[in-house]
Amino acid sequence: MPYPPPSRIPSGPRRRTLLATAAGAALLVGCSSGSGDSDGGTTGGSPSLTERARARAARDSEGLVGRYDAVLAAHPVLAELLGPLRAAAVRHVEAFGGGTPGPSGTPGPDEGAATPSQTPGAGKAASPSAGASAPVPADEKDALAELAAAERALADRRAEALLGVPGELARLLASVAAAGAAHAYLLTEGTK
């Protein structure tokens, strides 16, 4: 009696596994902090360091929202896929205390005033906001791949940055980095 052929198992993690892992990582980081982890405490940096890290994270998220808007303007057919991911990026801007971009990427009432005063603390590394004005690829798959690369790079930078900030901001950065990694995965799957 012949054996049935083995079932084809897709390569890479499944969406549920990835999202569960990202959520678990965020919970582990949230549970691993000791006492005295307030932003003004002495457990990891001055308040000015915390404020600069929060402002940079908000600017990076604003730039990512701008990149989503550019891709959506060039490829409106991707709205169903990109809409929820863009909405999450807007929530990240708000979580870091940045201005709220409007539906078309126009600045909210407090975004214009907050951003210029925060630029002196910015690092020299390229951020998604620098790529927001870059041309969008004409091919939808290339545009999605570019967005995935931006999400992945930002998630990596945030994962590195969380080591140098105190408790609550570190947990927020870890959570948003995990969400960015999940977005990169979903965008990569969207190109298939």
Side-chain angles (χ1 to χ4, degrees), residues 5-115:
S7 65
R8 176 164 158 71
I9 299 174
S11 64
R14 295 177 185 238
R15 286 184 193 164
R16 288 183 190 161
T17 304
L18 181 67
L19 294 175
T21 303
L27 288 175
L28 283 176
V29 170
C31 295
S32 65
S33 177
S35 64
D37 61 349
S38 67
D39 285 347
T42 60
T43 60
S46 66
S48 61
L49 172 69
T50 302
E51 292 167 9
R52 284 192 310 257
R54 186 178 292 273
R56 178 177 175 144
R59 279 192 313 273
D60 287 346
S61 290
E62 288 168 355
L64 194 58
V65 170
R67 193 67 197 151
Y68 273 104
D69 289 340
V71 172
L72 284 168
H75 303 287
V77 72
L78 296 174
E80 186 176 336
L81 173 66
L82 298 183
L85 301 178
R86 183 200 178 277
V90 169
R91 287 191 300 274
H92 297 161
V93 171
E94 294 167 354
F96 288 119
T100 307
S104 64
T106 57
D110 36 333
E111 182 179 346
T115 303

